[in-house]
C-alpha cells in the first residue's frame, strides 16, 4: 500500500480569491491556470500498521503532531478523507519533496495537495477519475484541483462539491509560454492563502471585481485560443494587480509585496517599453512570475541575470498534471 506521485504547481492567469463555501472550498469565481514544468512536488505515501501514528516529513523536516505547524493537520485531514473513501483505518507515512521554496507565493500547496491526493489514492488501492481526483485535491487546497489535469486548465466554481473541479482547456503543447519564476526571497509569508481568502469580502473592491469577472474570463479564453500574447499579457497583469488591490484593501490589509517585488514589476514594464514582450503576475507572496513566449526567453533571462536582487530563477514551460511515478522517496 505504497505509491508515489509528482505534481506541478500552477500559475493562475485568472485568480481564485474568495470562497462561497469555506468548508467545501467552493470559490466565488472560475479560475484559469497553467501547470509549471519545474515547480513540482513529489510525494510518497504508505499506509501500514507498522506506523504508530501518521508521520509527515516535508523537505526533510518531520512535522510533529504537537507543533504549531498547521500543515500537518491539513495533511492528516486529507489522509482521513482518503481512508474514509477506501474504508481503511491504517496510519500513513508521507514523505514529500518540493523542487522550490515553500510558502513564498509559488503555490506549493497546489503541487503538494495534488501529489498527496494522487499518491494517497493509489496507495489506498482506489481508482478515481481525473474529475474525482480534482475534487478531492480541492478539499486539501483550492488551487490544487488545477494541478490534476494537463496543461492549461479551468476550475469550474460549481454549486456543490461534486461539480467544483478543474479540467484541461488545452494540452501543454497548445502554446509555448514561459513562466520565469523570480525568487526574490525565500522568507515564508506570514499569512497563508487560506487565511487571506477569509478576508476577501471585507474589501470594498471585492464585489466590483466579481461584477466583471465573467467578461474577463471569456476574454482571456479568446486570447488563449488565438495565442494573442499582447492581449493575454495585459489582461493577466491587470488581473494580478486587481487581486492585490483586493488584498491591500481588506480589513486587516494584506500586503505581500517586498520592495524587490515592485522593482521587478517596474523592470518588466521598462523591458516591455524597450521591445521585449514580458508581463508579470504575482500570487499570495512576494516572488514574481514573469510570463513571455518561448522565442523571447533568452533575452528575458539575460535581463533577469543582471538584477542582483533576484536570488534565483526557475524557467517553466506548460506541463502535464499530477501523475504517479515508480520511484519511491523511501
Ligand atoms: O489554493 P490556495 O488557497 O493556496 O489559494 C490560491 C490563491 C492564489 O494563488 C492567489 C490565486 C490562485 O488562483 O492560485
Amino acid at each position: 500500500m505504497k505509491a508515489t506521485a509528482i505534481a506541478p504547481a500552477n500559475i493562475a492567469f485568472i485568480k481564485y480569491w474568495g470562497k462561497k463555501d469555506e468548508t467545501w472550498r467552493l470559490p466565488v469565481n472560475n479560475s484559469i491556470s497553467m501547470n509549471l514544468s519545474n515547480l513540482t512536488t513529489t510525494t510518497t505515501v504508505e499506509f501500514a500498521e507498522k506506523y504508530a501514528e501518521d508521520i509527515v516529513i516535508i523537505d526533510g523536516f518531520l512535522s510533529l503532531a504537537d507543533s504549531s505547524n498547521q500543515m500537518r493537520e491539513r495533511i492528516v485531514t486529507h489522509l482521513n478523507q482518503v481512508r474514509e473513501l477506501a474504508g481503511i483505518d491504517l496510519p500513513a507515512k508521507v514523505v514529500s519533496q518540493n523542487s522550490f521554496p515553500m510558502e513564498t507565493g509559488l503555490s506549493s500547496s497546489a503541487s503538494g495537495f495534488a501529489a498527496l491526493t494522487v499518491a494517497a489514492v493509489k496507495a489506498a488501492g482506489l481508482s478515481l477519475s481525473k474529475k474525482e481526483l480534482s475534487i478531492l485535491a480541492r478539499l486539501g487546497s483550492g488551487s490544487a484541483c488545477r494541478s490534476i489535469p494537463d496543461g492549461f486548465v479551468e476550475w469550474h466554481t460549481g454549486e456543490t462539491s461534486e461539480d467544483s473541479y478543474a479540467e484541461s482547456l488545452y494540452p501543454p503543447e497548445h502554446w509555448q509560454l514561459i513562466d520565469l519564476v523570480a525568487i526574490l526571497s525565500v522568507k515564508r509569508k506570514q499569512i497563508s492563502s487560506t487565511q487571506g481568502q477569509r478576508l476577501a469580502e471585507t474589501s470594498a473592491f471585492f464585489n466590483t471585481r466579481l461584477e466583471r469577472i465573467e467578461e474577463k474570463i471569456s476574454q482571456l479564453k479568446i486570447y488563449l485560443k488565438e495565442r494573442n500574447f499582447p492581449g493575454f499579457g495585459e489582461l493577466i497583469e491587470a488581473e494580478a494587480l486587481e487581486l492585490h488591490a483586493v488584498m491591500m484593501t481588506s480589513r486587516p490589509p494584506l500586503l505581500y509585496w517586498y520592495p524587490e517585488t515592485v522593482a521587478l514589476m517596474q523592470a518588466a514594464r521598462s523591458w516591455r517599453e524597450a521591445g521585449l514582450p514580458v508581463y508579470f503576475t504575482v500570487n499570495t507572496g512576494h516572488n514574481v512570475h514573469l510570463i513571455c513566449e518561448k522565442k523571447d526567453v533568452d533575452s528575458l533571462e539575460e535581463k533577469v541575470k543582471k538584477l542582483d536582487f533576484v536570488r534565483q530563477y526557475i524557467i517553466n514551460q506548460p506541463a502535464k498534471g499530477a501523475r504517479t511515478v515508480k520511484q519511491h522517496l523511501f
Side-chain angles (χ1 to χ4, degrees):
M1 299 188 79
K2 185 174 186 177
T4 302
I6 185 164
N10 64 74
I11 181 63
F13 298 131
I14 298 287
K15 311 286 188 185
Y16 145 56
W17 198 248
K19 291 171 216 175
K20 58 187 177 198
D21 187 308
E22 171 82 28
T23 315
W24 293 104
R25 291 185 197 270
L26 300 184
V28 287
N29 59 275
N30 286 20
S31 50
I32 296 182
S33 61
M34 178 178 97
N35 286 331
L36 302 174
S37 59
N38 290 321
L39 297 190
T40 59
T41 304
T42 305
T43 299
T44 299
V45 177
E46 181 178 36
F47 292 102
E49 247 166 64
K50 65 183 172 191
Y51 303 120
E53 57 168 5
D54 289 331
I55 301 167
V56 176
I57 300 171
I58 304 173
D59 291 339
F61 292 98
L62 178 67
S63 286
L64 296 174
D66 61 353
S67 78
S68 58
N69 179 354
Q70 291 168 357
M71 195 42 87
R72 185 184 189 279
E73 210 177 298
R74 278 172 76 178
I75 290 171
V76 170
T77 304
H78 206 62
L79 291 169
N80 288 342
Q81 309 253 19
V82 176
R83 282 188 276 246
E84 201 179 311
L85 271 177
I88 58 171
D89 195 18
L90 296 167
K93 180 174 177 182
V94 177
V95 175
S96 197
Q97 196 65 46
N98 292 299
S99 71
F100 61 104
M102 271 175 80
E103 293 171 22
T104 63
L106 300 179
S107 306
S108 54
S109 66
S111 52
F113 278 98
L116 179 69
T117 302
V118 172
V121 160
K122 174 111 190 275
L126 291 165
S127 168
L128 301 187
S129 66
K130 278 229 163 179
K131 176 176 165 182
E132 289 166 325
L133 288 170
S134 179
I135 290 169
L136 191 53
R138 190 200 76 232
L139 298 174
S141 176
S143 54
C145 76
R146 296 190 310 238
S147 289
I148 299 288
D150 292 341
F152 298 85
V153 171
E154 180 169 17
W155 173 10
H156 307 284
T157 160
E159 289 308 317
T160 64
S161 183
E162 286 68 41
D163 56 13
S164 184
Y165 62 98
E167 51 184 2
S168 185
L169 290 171
Y170 298 101
E173 308 74 51
H174 171 69
W175 196 2
Q176 293 197 317
L177 279 188
I178 295 291
D179 177 357
L180 187 154
V181 167
I183 298 173
L184 309 172
S185 163
V186 293
K187 202 170 160 206
R188 292 193 176 185
K189 60 192 173 199
Q190 284 171 342
I191 313 244
S192 71
S193 298
T194 299
Q195 293 167 308
Q197 298 223 24
R198 293 192 189 117
L199 306 175
E201 283 171 35
T202 64
S203 163
F205 297 154
F206 183 65
N207 285 328
T208 312
R209 164 172 167 73
L210 290 184
E211 278 163 25
R212 295 177 306 121
I213 197 85
E214 287 192 9
E215 199 185 310
K216 237 182 179 183
I217 291 172
S218 310
Q219 189 59 58
L220 185 96
K221 282 182 167 173
I222 295 170
Y223 291 142
L224 190 56
K225 183 175 173 202
E226 295 173 347
R227 302 184 193 92
N228 173 342
F229 191 65
F232 181 84
E234 265 174 42
L235 197 154
I236 66 162
E237 199 172 282
E239 166 67 355
L241 292 170
E242 189 174 297
L243 167 80
H244 284 269
V246 170
M247 290 167 164
M248 287 177 200
T249 50
S250 293
R251 277 167 290 156
L254 297 168
L255 185 52
Y256 286 106
W257 297 348
Y258 288 0
E260 293 84 357
T261 313
V262 180
L264 189 51
M265 288 171 171
Q266 281 168 340
R269 290 200 158 173
S270 68
W271 298 334
R272 199 155 74 221
E273 276 157 25
L276 174 65
V278 55
Y279 295 85
F280 63 79
T281 179
V282 185
N283 282 345
T284 25
H286 45 268
N287 291 322
V288 177
H289 296 253
L290 294 170
I291 312 292
C292 71
E293 288 185 290
K294 196 170 181 185
K295 66 178 176 56
D296 295 315
V297 66
D298 292 345
S299 319
L300 178 62
E301 196 178 352
E302 220 171 274
K303 298 223 181 284
V304 169
K305 267 186 188 160
K306 287 190 190 136
L307 300 178
D308 55 6
F309 59 86
V310 175
R311 294 174 55 138
Q312 185 196 343
Y313 62 88
I314 303 172
I315 295 178
N316 297 277
Q317 305 197 7
K320 280 191 179 303
R323 58 213 174 268
T324 53
V325 289
K326 290 212 170 76
Q327 200 168 354
H328 302 311
L329 293 179
F330 65 92

